[in-house]
Amino acid sequence: MNNPEEKEITFVMPFGPQHPASGHFNAMITCAGENVVDLKAYPGYLHRGFEKLMEYRTHVQNTMLSDRVCILDPFSNEMAYVHAAEISSGVEAPERAKYIRAIMAELGRILSHLTWIGIMSSALGLESGAKIAWGDREKIIRLNEVITGGRLYPCYFMPGGVRDDITGDMAGEISRVLDTLEDKGKLYDDFVFFNTTFTTRTNGIGVINAEDAVALGATGPTLRATGMGSDVRKDEPYDAYPCVDLEIVTMEKGDAYSRSMVRRGEIAASISLIRQLLQKMPAGDFKVKWPMTKKVPPGETYFCCEAARGELCFHMVSDGTDKPYRVKIRGPSFSLALAVFPYLSRGVQIADIPAIYWSLDPCPADMDR
Amino acid sequence: MPEDIAAALASRFGESVSDLILGERSILFKAEKDAFHEALSLLKTLGFEHLSDVSVVDYMSEGEFEVVYHLWSHARKERATQKVRIPRESPAIDSVVDLWPGAQIHEREAHELFGIRFEGNPDLSPLFLEDWKEIPPFRKDFDTRAYVKKRYEADE
């Protein structure tokens, strides 16, 4: 049909905040026909004000709150909080606790990436990939339950160590789950990463170069997919990371496919890390004494760790009491969803929006806090 | 150690830069309000191209806000932290969007939660709160517990 009277219609379309589309996150997309002219992000559906709530609670109570900042990656948030508290008070965790924390943080990374495979596949219409990934995710969740007592919110890291030891057959159980995941690698490749639907819908989509990514505050797999080998675990190693051989996965193209392949590589890298950590884990204490109302001397700390989504930092100001004076959380998703996502969306086809959004793997809980 | 940065800051800004603390791979200092933007600009040209976070601390008893810029250099693998104090009454400060485009959302958040105006930021509309009529909620004089009690008991 060739009608000269017909003009291109501009309209505004919502993306989210219904959960299956975007998580609890809303974006308003201005479209001209199929093309995205502009995208505005509207977060806030999960704003709970944790940073303020932490000012009313002691450090031990706050570890429990820090979990809830991002349900998909709880160990990283605990890691950053307990380190900030420990550095503020000059306490160092015992060697064994450092290894246990690193093991759990890496399990958390695999957990988060498996969840992401599920959501990303689902967003692209590959439901089988979603089912397989979420099935395997359950294996790690059960492992969490065995080791920490909690499935999704472990509350396991404490200032001064961890709450409980890894004992009995727990290490064996971890190894068995890792073996299963490793065996499944081929299955994921067939169903997801080298599946034609997946490759055609992500290849060359949402391309960002290293310079723009840095300027907008991108970190983690998004930045590593542009060829930058930036990783807090390597740049400012904490806990047991200095003692193990860490592989940083990078890709060159900076598109949605590269970001996906970085996460694919990171699952394998984390499996190898956990094996090394289990092998080298020393015997001994798993925590030092940290009273419930321990007073922390005045001062301030900025501690960063590498979460599954990128650089996660806690800025903690203490005033000499048992509660922090101020806590500021720098979540990796904040920059990814509110700066990088609108930037990548301008000028693309509307059907590419879910692929771009989920290739960044933002966590709305983490961006709102 | 980032001694070269400390030297560059001292030679250019003199007394406008104070309380310098050098770490193994970090530098922390305070800047006066009239020099803070230039100091950040200098840090950026020295390689601190990643703005990790903009954080605000409310020192109510001193009548001041402290705006803290956390920077990271991918090339040098070092952290820099710059602090600047502004009065708590009608707080305003220049935006750093011209240096780091990613600062836009961090400043927007600080504007919403502390009420600080960032001159030059193109969009300071609220991010999280809907129809908020109280004082900015992350200030020290905002009592979360009293607010929750008032808000939700009124609903019952």
Side-chain angles (χ1 to χ4, degrees):
Chain A
M1 196 164 59
N2 194 1
N3 182 357
E5 296 285 305
E6 194 178 284
K7 285 189 190 141
E8 198 171 42
I9 307 163
T10 306
F11 60 100
V12 178
M13 202 176 93
F15 174 63
Q18 286 89 346
H19 198 274
S22 63
H24 307 288
F25 168 78
N26 173 233
M28 291 307 227
I29 311 170
T30 310
C31 315
E34 286 278 300
N35 299 313
V36 175
V37 181
D38 194 21
L39 184 142
K40 279 202 159 54
Y42 293 98
Y45 292 88
L46 273 166
H47 179 67
R48 296 144 291 176
F50 280 135
E51 292 147 324
K52 180 85 178 178
L53 295 180
M54 285 176 177
E55 293 173 11
Y56 292 85
R57 287 162 178 83
T58 65
H59 291 287
V60 176
Q61 293 174 316
N62 282 342
T63 350
M64 200 194 76
L65 277 186
S66 65
D67 264 354
R68 277 131 178 102
V69 171
C70 179
I71 183 172
L72 302 177
D73 193 11
F75 287 114
S76 300
N77 286 283
E78 288 187 8
M79 181 78 110
Y81 189 90
V82 298
H83 269 276
E86 283 173 5
I87 295 168
S88 302
S89 60
V91 170
E92 205 183 329
E95 269 318 284
R96 186 174 175 84
K98 291 182 177 176
Y99 275 79
I100 297 179
R101 281 188 202 163
I103 290 169
M104 296 318 286
E106 289 309 313
L107 272 178
R109 192 180 314 281
I110 301 176
L111 176 71
S112 175
H113 285 348
L114 284 176
T115 315
W116 166 81
I117 294 178
I119 306 171
M120 181 77 178
S121 309
S122 183
L124 300 178
L126 290 167
E127 286 300 334
S128 37
K131 300 292 180 285
I132 302 167
W134 282 57
D136 286 340
R137 173 180 184 258
E138 180 64 24
K139 293 191 175 75
I140 298 185
I141 292 178
R142 288 197 182 151
L143 213 49
N144 278 356
E145 191 175 12
V146 169
I147 296 168
T148 72
R151 281 167 53 84
L152 297 172
Y153 289 131
C155 312
Y156 185 55
F157 299 176
M158 288 287 147
V162 289
R163 191 158 44 75
D164 225 332
D165 202 2
I166 290 189
T167 51
D169 192 35
M170 287 176 190
E173 202 128 334
I174 297 174
S175 302
R176 283 193 289 280
V177 171
L178 295 183
D179 291 342
T180 323
L181 287 177
E182 206 167 41
D183 291 343
K184 288 240 174 132
K186 175 79 171 58
L187 193 72
Y188 282 112
D189 286 350
D190 291 345
F191 273 91
V192 184
F193 295 107
F194 299 115
N195 182 311
T196 322
T197 309
F198 191 88
T199 51
T200 42
R201 288 205 56 191
T202 52
N203 234 325
I205 301 296
V207 183
I208 189 165
N209 61 33
E211 200 184 327
D212 291 343
V214 171
L216 291 171
T219 49
T222 305
L223 190 56
R224 288 194 283 276
T226 66
M228 300 245 325
S230 149
D231 191 312
V232 186
R233 291 175 294 171
K234 187 168 152 240
D235 298 338
E236 302 177 287
Y238 47 91
D239 272 354
Y241 289 112
C243 317
V244 284
D245 191 12
L246 178 66
E247 186 205 348
I248 307 294
V249 184
T250 56
M251 300 292 283
E252 296 301 322
K253 275 167 69 187
D255 59 354
Y257 190 64
S258 306
R259 292 192 277 277
S260 308
M261 293 311 267
V262 167
R263 292 196 187 91
R264 172 181 175 267
E266 282 186 3
I267 294 180
S270 289
I271 291 178
S272 136
L273 263 184
I274 299 172
R275 285 197 179 127
Q276 294 179 51
L277 288 162
L278 280 173
Q279 207 172 26
K280 290 186 181 171
M281 185 163 66
D285 286 339
F286 58 89
K287 65 177 169 192
V288 294
K289 198 160 182 276
W290 183 291
M292 192 71 180
T293 53
K294 184 182 167 69
K295 290 194 169 62
V296 171
E300 61 188 280
T301 314
Y302 191 66
F303 179 83
C304 297
C305 75
E306 184 73 21
R309 287 158 185 76
E311 183 192 50
L312 171 79
C313 314
F314 274 61
H315 177 218
M316 188 185 289
V317 182
S318 313
D319 59 351
T321 63
D322 56 351
K323 303 180 179 85
Y325 184 76
R326 161 84 168 131
V327 179
K328 171 75 171 70
I329 306 167
R330 187 254 186 237
S333 306
F334 190 67
S335 299
L336 291 178
L338 304 182
V340 180
F341 177 49
Y343 169 83
L344 288 181
S345 299
R346 285 173 201 125
V348 303
Q349 295 270 299
I350 194 160
D352 293 335
I353 291 287
I356 293 176
Y357 180 73
W358 287 115
S359 72
L360 298 169
D361 192 17
C363 169
D366 173 33
M367 65 178 100
D368 291 356
R369 287 157 280 135
Chain B
M1 255 198 197
E3 279 140 349
D4 53 326
I5 294 170
L9 283 166
S11 73
R12 176 123 168 238
F13 298 105
E15 304 224 318
S16 301
V17 164
S18 59
D19 295 318
L20 205 118
I21 302 171
L22 277 182
E24 181 90 17
R25 276 173 149 194
S26 65
I27 177 167
L28 185 148
F29 63 94
K30 281 184 183 163
E32 294 298 321
K33 197 185 168 190
D34 49 6
F36 99 95
H37 195 280
E38 270 181 70
L40 282 175
S41 176
L42 175 69
L43 285 177
K44 199 194 167 192
T45 52
L46 289 174
F48 290 89
E49 68 278 79
H50 173 54
L51 176 74
S52 177
D53 202 358
V54 179
S55 156
V56 180
V57 187
D58 180 3
Y59 291 101
M60 193 169 70
S61 54
E62 293 159 50
E64 282 178 318
F65 283 126
E66 190 168 73
V67 187
V68 191
Y69 297 87
H70 301 282
L71 309 172
W72 166 256
S73 167
H74 287 294
R76 302 173 59 108
K77 309 272 182 218
E78 284 169 354
R79 252 175 224 292
T81 308
Q82 184 189 308
K83 308 202 267 186
V84 55
R85 293 269 182 133
I86 53 172
R88 222 165 158 272
E89 288 293 312
S90 65
I93 191 166
D94 286 341
S95 168
V96 294
V97 170
D98 51 333
L99 301 174
W100 296 278
Q104 200 270 326
I105 46 169
H106 292 295
E107 293 182 345
R108 206 172 142 190
E109 181 189 313
H111 172 259
E112 178 174 22
L113 302 177
F114 287 92
I116 299 174
R117 246 176 329 109
F118 288 88
E119 315 274 3
N121 190 315
D123 179 13
L124 287 175
S125 56
L127 274 172
F128 307 126
L129 310 168
E130 209 173 3
D131 299 328
W132 188 256
K133 292 187 185 67
E134 315 274 331
I135 59 166
F138 275 33
R139 289 189 179 194
K140 280 284 172 187
D141 45 356
F142 179 83
D143 187 339
T144 311
R145 285 177 171 163
Y147 171 77
V148 168
K149 215 162 176 246
K150 191 183 85 187
R151 171 78 176 77
Y152 292 100
E153 277 182 1
D155 273 3
E156 276 168 12

